[in-house]
Amino acid sequence: MSRLKAPRGTFDVLPPDGRRRLRLLQLAEEVLGRAGYEYFESPVFEETELFARGVGESTDIVQKEMFTFEDKGGRSLTLRPEATAAVCRAYVEHGMHKLAQPVKLWTWGPFFRHEAPQAGRYRQFTQVDAEVLGSQEPSVDAELILLLAEILEQAGVEGTRLRLSSLGTAESRRQYADELRAYLREHEGDLSMEVRERIDANPLRAFDSDHEGTRTVMRSAPVLIERLDPDDAEHFEEVKALLDDAGLRYEVDHTLVRGLDYYTRTVFEFESDRLGAQRGVGGGGRYDGLIEQLGGPPTPGNGWAAGIERILLAAHGGPAEDRRPVYIAVAKPGLRRDAFRVARELRAGGVATELEQAGRSMKGQFKQADRIGARATVIVGDELELKDMDSGEQRQVADAAEVLRLVGA
Ligand code: AMP
């Protein structure tokens, strides 16, 4: 029998990565919780139609990348490729428009896209995701961007760059799309096959192309950001002013076209030059028409998603190391029960504690204490002794309570 492996494009999280991920989760909770965002979860699979309608039929995600299957009742289901459509579905399903607005939510979990795996690109990956429903205010756009910037900075992500743009409203985008289509048709001969085939369905994607001829044509193409209507332009000015006030640096990049159809007004993306070809760490934007499109009341929305694996790839060391354990060494096999009790008492007192459980010699146990970076070792022998692993100082102690007093929680 051949050896079993994790499926292509997936991975196991092994120590010490597990700890880095949990710390990042805590960091997200702290930063987002402080700004009034509530944690929520939605199912890992949804009806396929949600993504077809919510992400957009012409997008790469819907056309090529979804893990879609039929359940035993013949329903078409899809492993979620992104979070926003489900958040909007939940907002409508639970009548959240009746709550005080805006509704601010965040989540964390696995997402699935059938892409060609490479460094930083997987078929199952993890996102942290924040969404604000029910407010048009430019301060929501700026707040969301600043919160992601804070998480990336505190997570230790290096070499970041923020690209920012505005896509206007659906109407100004439609007018602009017509203008762009006409321009692309004039230059059809120089465009890549893929771009040519999508002139009707999604002309904006031409800005994403790596094709040499297409890139040359796009350098002189009309740009949306110069065609915004006055309200949209003013909204964008306000978002930029708030970011300027906060001292966050960004580049306005009119070629920024997010991969999903539903965006309106502000869009943004954080990249890190510490990553290879897959340099996007996180991004998002406004989707003022999406909830209505999914059958809800007209409701503005805005949000972002950031990839956990990419954050950790681009982070130098990750969030600061916090917890150095106390190690319990057992001097004689007959004292294992005493050692077990001391470990329980220290843990109950809030101290991270590890217990010798491999039958090591005394020398081996001190080596192990060093290996795990223990700050102190309790030696359970005829007496109880406490050794400070940094100073090497050793003293006799009466019981676990005294150890707790000396090492603190
Ligand atoms: P998107 O919804 O495509 O803007 O993705 C948001 C973030 O999720 C990206 O910036 C990446 O950090 C992460 N991401 C998206 N697709 C993948 C993938 N296939 N593998 C790993 N991370 C991904």
Side-chain angles (χ1 to χ4, degrees):
M1 202 172 90
S2 64
R3 283 230 262 163
L4 293 170
K5 284 192 193 153
R8 187 166 152 74
T10 71
F11 53 87
D12 299 304
V13 175
L14 304 176
D17 262 4
R19 212 191 307 169
R20 293 181 77 208
R21 292 167 71 96
L22 284 178
R23 257 190 256 125
L24 188 53
L25 179 61
Q26 279 163 3
L27 171 64
E29 198 283 321
E30 256 169 52
V31 171
L32 294 166
R34 214 158 39 213
Y37 290 67
E38 291 278 3
Y39 185 72
F40 93 105
E41 290 183 11
S42 66
V44 163
F45 56 84
E46 296 269 356
E47 286 180 32
T48 301
E49 191 195 340
L50 172 67
F51 302 116
R53 271 166 63 187
V55 178
E57 296 276 7
S58 68
T59 59
D60 278 353
I61 290 185
V62 172
Q63 290 203 341
K64 306 187 215 158
E65 296 170 4
M66 299 208 300
F67 280 94
T68 297
F69 59 97
E70 225 175 64
D71 74 1
K72 293 196 164 98
R75 283 169 286 259
S76 179
L77 299 174
T78 293
L79 297 181
R80 60 184 186 183
E82 58 98 58
T84 304
V87 175
C88 294
R89 195 251 321 123
Y91 182 89
V92 177
E93 184 172 337
H94 303 288
M96 289 194 230
H97 63 279
K98 292 188 212 120
L99 304 175
Q101 305 292 304
V103 175
K104 298 177 166 192
L105 302 168
W106 77 279
T107 191
W108 167 293
F111 292 84
F112 306 84
R113 292 183 196 172
H114 201 286
E115 300 192 84
Q118 63 179 84
R121 189 162 76 192
Y122 312 100
R123 291 184 174 172
Q124 175 176 337
F125 54 99
T126 317
Q127 282 184 345
V128 54
D129 180 280
E131 312 281 342
V132 179
L133 306 165
S135 173
Q136 307 235 25
E137 289 292 315
S139 65
V140 168
D141 307 48
E143 174 180 290
L144 278 163
I145 293 170
L146 288 164
L147 288 169
L148 181 51
E150 189 180 342
I151 290 173
L152 296 180
E153 198 206 316
Q154 287 197 32
V157 174
E158 296 184 331
T160 49
R161 181 169 93 112
L162 168 59
R163 295 156 69 213
L164 182 68
S165 191
S166 174
L167 301 180
T169 47
E171 183 47 34
S172 53
R173 235 169 122 183
R174 242 188 314 273
Q175 282 171 18
Y176 165 74
D178 285 342
E179 184 184 348
L180 184 60
R181 275 189 199 101
Y183 175 82
L184 291 174
R185 289 219 180 80
E186 267 171 48
H187 298 85
E188 209 163 334
D190 299 323
L191 301 176
S192 77
M193 204 49 185
E194 207 187 345
V195 169
R196 241 182 290 166
E197 278 169 2
R198 290 208 202 170
I199 292 181
D200 279 328
N202 200 346
L204 280 165
R205 293 302 302 276
F207 285 108
D208 279 349
S209 174
D210 293 330
H211 177 257
E212 197 53 48
T214 307
R215 289 177 75 100
T216 310
V217 172
M218 296 323 284
R219 273 195 275 277
S220 316
V223 295
L224 176 55
I225 206 154
E226 287 161 13
R227 303 285 191 278
L228 298 182
D229 73 33
D231 282 354
D232 294 345
E234 196 186 309
H235 192 273
F236 191 49
E237 286 309 310
E238 184 60 21
V239 174
K240 287 191 292 178
L242 291 167
L243 296 179
D244 291 339
D245 268 2
L248 185 69
R249 291 175 52 173
Y250 56 85
E251 295 158 37
V252 174
D253 180 349
H254 71 82
T255 67
L256 179 58
V257 180
R258 307 253 325 138
L260 316 179
D261 274 358
Y262 51 58
Y263 288 106
T264 54
R265 290 190 161 173
T266 312
V267 286
F268 66 94
E269 203 156 273
F270 284 90
E271 295 178 348
S272 167
D273 62 17
R274 301 300 136 93
L275 298 172
Q278 301 302 318
R279 48 187 32 239
V281 191
R286 250 189 197 281
Y287 45 86
D288 289 344
L290 182 58
I291 290 185
E292 196 176 3
Q293 196 176 310
L294 293 174
T299 311
N302 198 343
W304 51 250
I308 299 320
E309 291 78 21
R310 291 200 198 156
I311 291 179
L312 292 177
L313 277 172
H316 177 75
E321 190 59 57
D322 44 10
R323 196 178 55 186
R324 287 177 70 200
V326 169
Y327 183 73
I328 313 288
V330 195
K332 290 186 202 155
L335 295 171
R336 284 204 183 115
R337 273 197 198 168
D338 298 281
F340 191 79
R341 182 174 35 78
V342 173
R344 270 199 302 113
E345 287 173 3
L346 293 187
R347 287 172 187 162
V351 170
T353 306
E354 292 195 30
L355 175 65
E356 167 55 25
Q357 286 170 315
R360 290 184 181 85
S361 68
M362 234 14 238
K363 195 172 152 214
Q365 294 188 54
F366 277 114
K367 243 196 208 159
Q368 175 64 5
D370 279 336
R371 206 178 288 137
I372 64 171
R375 55 190 168 128
T377 297
V378 176
I379 303 139
V380 182
D382 294 328
E383 311 288 344
L384 214 52
E385 298 202 58
L386 178 67
K387 179 175 179 185
D388 181 308
M389 299 301 284
D390 295 327
S391 68
E393 200 184 305
Q394 193 164 324
R395 62 191 289 178
Q396 199 172 320
V397 286
D399 50 19
E402 190 176 353
V403 175
L404 274 174
R405 270 196 302 281
L406 291 168
V407 300

